[in-house]
Amino acid sequence: MTRREPNPIRSDIAWSTRDRITVRGRDLPGQILGHMNLGDFAFLQLTGREATPQQSAVFNAMVITLVEHGMTPSAIAARMTYAGAPEALQAAVAAGLCGLGSVFVGSMEDAARLLSEALPPGQDHSGADLQAIARDKVAAYRQAGRILPGIGHPIHKPVDPRAPRLFEIAAENGMAGPYVALMQAIAAEAERVYGRSLPVNATGAIGAICCEFGFPWRIVRGFGVMARAIGLVGHLLEEGERPMAREIWLRVEDEASAHLRPE
């Protein structure tokens, strides 16, 4: 039997000793604490680079956008889990994060994938016919019966107010490039084809901006996970102070079984 040669195990992120903690080559107490905000540190952790002032403004705006959106399914799931297991706050946060998928928050990954497949990273897209690409993508999704990610919103009509602000911040900081333009072209083409308002939503804007940063589409949903964890901890703090999960449970129980109960 041929003996397997072990592959090297390597991480470039961090290491520590008895008296030292180093993250991405920076001393944590001396070079990071008091020098970086949470968003800038997240950027360093992910990329190994310190954000420029322009990157910092755009990245922080992007992740802040994802922290909170009211009583969404993820917040409700977290609160209900906390009601059943108040000793396991981390489980309640995890329960809420499990709901970040193709409908809520996770659609930013799908938008980034669509855009990065249309405009492969690392190539010059200055001569790309974005209108033609948008027509092809909308037609392909329509023919396949698939929902175009990153456009339209069940609540925010006719405009998701977060998207134009994110695009504005990206433009102010020199980060509104071909991916932002293509996302906007896809929304315009979808509105033309379907005959209704389908503006770019927050996840579409963030998917496009992530592509401008050069982030791989496979990691994009992780930004939503990072940010929404903060929001869910806030919901659980409020749940502990002013509980609503039990009331939600009792109301659902009453209404769901009302037709079975004797008069």
Side-chain angles (χ1 to χ4, degrees), residues 32-251:
I32 295 175
L33 299 184
H35 299 280
M36 290 186 181
N37 60 41
L38 180 59
D40 288 352
F41 179 68
F43 188 88
L44 173 67
Q45 168 80 358
L46 292 161
T47 67
R49 307 187 309 273
E50 291 189 32
T52 66
Q54 294 76 24
Q55 290 172 330
S56 174
V58 177
F59 187 82
N60 274 280
M62 186 176 73
V63 293
I64 287 170
T65 300
L66 297 165
V67 169
E68 184 54 53
H69 202 255
M71 291 300 296
T72 57
S74 62
I76 295 170
R79 285 175 180 261
M80 298 302 288
T81 303
Y82 190 64
E87 71 282 0
L89 181 142
Q90 73 279 7
V93 173
L97 295 178
C98 284
L100 306 187
S102 59
V103 177
F104 291 96
V105 178
S107 54
M108 54 198 279
E109 174 187 300
D110 299 324
R113 181 175 186 177
L114 184 160
L115 296 170
S116 62
E117 289 178 348
L119 300 174
Q123 299 183 15
D124 181 9
H125 303 300
S126 57
D129 187 342
L130 301 183
Q131 303 303 320
I133 295 173
R135 287 194 296 271
D136 290 344
K137 288 297 181 182
V138 173
Y141 271 74
R142 189 181 191 191
Q143 183 176 6
R146 298 171 61 194
I147 295 174
L148 277 161
I151 63 172
H153 197 278
I155 298 173
H156 301 303
K157 302 175 184 295
V159 175
D160 182 338
R162 300 167 295 179
R165 179 57 180 145
L166 285 168
F167 285 150
E168 181 181 34
I169 295 169
E172 291 170 351
N173 290 278
M175 294 192 65
Y179 294 105
V180 168
L182 179 56
M183 190 73 250
Q184 293 170 325
I186 288 172
E189 175 65 11
E191 289 188 346
R192 185 190 69 80
V193 169
Y194 291 100
R196 64 179 188 274
S197 178
L198 290 169
V200 179
N201 58 36
T203 58
I206 290 171
I209 292 171
C210 284
C211 289
E212 300 288 358
F213 270 108
F215 291 122
W217 65 262
R218 290 178 178 83
I219 201 64
V220 168
R221 189 179 304 192
F223 301 138
V225 173
M226 286 165 27
R228 190 54 58 89
I230 296 172
L232 293 175
V233 172
H235 275 273
L236 297 178
L237 176 61
E238 184 180 72
E239 181 66 27
E241 296 171 345
R242 297 194 302 278
M244 70 170 68
R246 178 178 172 82
E247 182 65 21
I248 293 172
W249 161 41
L250 294 175
R251 286 192 195 181

